Amino acid sequence: MKKKQTVTIYDVAREAQVSMATVSRVVNHNHNVKPATEKKVMEVVKRLNYRPNDVARGLASKKTTTVGVIIPNVTNSYFAALARGIDDIAEMYQYNIILTNSDGDEQKEVKALNTLYSKQVDGIIFMGNELSAPVRDEFKAERIPVVLAGSVDPQNDFPNVNIDYRQAVSSQVNQLLDNGNQRVAFVAGKLTRSINQDFRIPGYQAALQAHQISFDEQLLFEAADYDEGYELCEQLLSHQATAAMVSNDEAAAGIMNGMNYRGVQVPEQFEVATSDNTKLTEMTRPTLSTITQPLYDVGAVAMRLLTKLMDNDEIEQKQVLLPFGMKQRGSTKGA
């Protein structure tokens, strides 16, 4: 079977009887072309089904107008909301997106990076639960712009967009303590991750200190998803916790349903507060009280920051903190 021949920019230029530079200006939406000429070129482009070669174009211009996005879980509504903000701003600035799923696995993240580098991406937005040493080394070695979205960097090596996780957790735990709870648990996917160890747990401790309650390490628990949250209920009750501050909406829903299944009424006997304000928080019964984050804006601001870096523009600050809020719903008292 004869291989289909690729249509090149030269073929379009010859058929339209214009220069290759003119064809390039038309397909790249450069308006310094006469309307009649643009129309003629576009007719040939459609007839020949010409598709510009982004890689070849990138070699010539040293830009591919392509951005790589690494996401730990494409099915997680938290990261999906960030990705939507990224995509909308990318489209506004005429960048294409290559989205890769890493499952939050360090080896997959490094592999995804190498794949993106091979595709000559102009920049990378990284969304992950932790910035590991191998990933950090890859970023530094390649020297292309990188922005972290919803991912913290305690070393402040890379520009990042987040909320103030320490203050957000402190505010939510303060509310649980104000409701009369003396034993508030803190639940996160992995306690040793920087976002928990360096930001959320200190915020939790600050709220306890403000209420003159001693920190009890036995009230720190791990649960990364619905099933783990559901199974965690026995431990929470055995440690006499009466409320939980949870870093993940799915785990929070699991805890709440697990408590209801065991006959523990929420919020009368056990209060649950969560962190991400994804759609799930409004779908549970009772609905979940939560920290509110501008998830779409985190993604959008990260992409805008990346466009500036890719254009070699100066940026005012490497660490951007967007405002957060609190939404009291049915899973806590006084909602």
Side-chain angles (χ1 to χ4, degrees), residues 193-229:
R193 284 178 180 149
S194 176
I195 192 170
N196 296 319
Q197 198 170 49
D198 299 327
F199 297 93
R200 287 174 173 152
I201 293 175
Y204 167 73
Q205 292 173 315
L208 293 175
Q209 187 175 13
H211 283 74
Q212 299 181 327
I213 295 175
S214 299
F215 170 63
D216 183 354
E217 196 170 350
Q218 290 188 328
L219 288 175
L220 300 181
F221 299 92
E222 292 187 345
D225 55 30
Y226 179 90
D227 291 337
E228 290 182 3

Side-chain angles (χ1 to χ4, degrees), residues 123-321:
I124 287 175
I125 292 180
F126 179 83
M127 292 183 277
N129 296 313
E130 186 79 359
L131 188 59
S132 66
V135 171
R136 189 184 295 274
D137 290 343
E138 287 285 340
F139 285 158
K140 289 181 177 179
E142 195 61 27
R143 296 174 182 252
I144 68 170
V146 173
V147 174
L148 312 182
S151 302
V152 298
D153 179 17
Q155 299 179 32
N156 208 27
D157 287 332
F158 305 102
N160 54 85
V161 183
N162 293 283
I163 65 166
D164 187 336
Y165 298 108
R166 185 184 189 280
Q167 186 57 50
V169 168
S170 181
S171 298
Q172 184 66 82
V173 174
N174 268 317
Q175 206 141 36
L176 293 172
L177 294 169
D178 287 342
N179 288 349
N181 297 288
Q182 293 292 305
R183 293 185 63 76
V184 177
F186 175 79
V187 183
K190 194 172 182 182
L191 295 171
T192 56
R193 284 178 180 149
S194 176
I195 192 170
N196 296 319
Q197 198 170 49
D198 299 327
F199 297 93
R200 287 174 173 152
I201 293 175
Y204 167 73
Q205 292 173 315
L208 293 175
Q209 187 175 13
H211 283 74
Q212 299 181 327
I213 295 175
S214 299
F215 170 63
D216 183 354
E217 196 170 350
Q218 290 188 328
L219 288 175
L220 300 181
F221 299 92
E222 292 187 345
D225 55 30
Y226 179 90
D227 291 337
E228 290 182 3
Y230 192 93
E231 295 299 324
L232 186 64
C233 291
E234 290 295 340
Q235 291 186 58
L236 291 169
L237 293 173
S238 68
H239 284 85
Q240 299 176 326
T242 59
M245 173 69 237
V246 191
S247 70
N248 176 287
D249 290 353
E250 289 189 18
I255 290 170
M256 187 167 65
N257 284 354
M259 289 297 176
N260 287 328
Y261 177 78
R262 289 164 175 80
V264 179
Q265 293 184 329
V266 177
E268 291 82 6
Q269 295 173 286
F270 195 95
E271 296 185 67
V272 181
T274 187
S275 301
D276 298 335
N277 194 33
T278 59
K279 282 290 182 185
L280 180 62
T281 61
E282 299 180 85
M283 295 165 64
T284 59
R285 290 296 177 270
T287 53
L288 281 161
S289 295
T290 180
I291 296 165
T292 60
Q293 300 187 45
L295 300 181
Y296 176 93
D297 293 346
V298 170
V301 171
M303 184 62 212
R304 181 66 185 106
L305 191 56
L306 186 63
T307 63
K308 290 184 177 182
L309 292 170
M310 292 186 295
D311 289 337
N312 295 314
D313 293 342
E314 287 189 20
I315 58 174
E316 295 178 3
Q317 57 186 118
K318 288 177 67 176
Q319 185 180 34
V320 179
L321 293 179

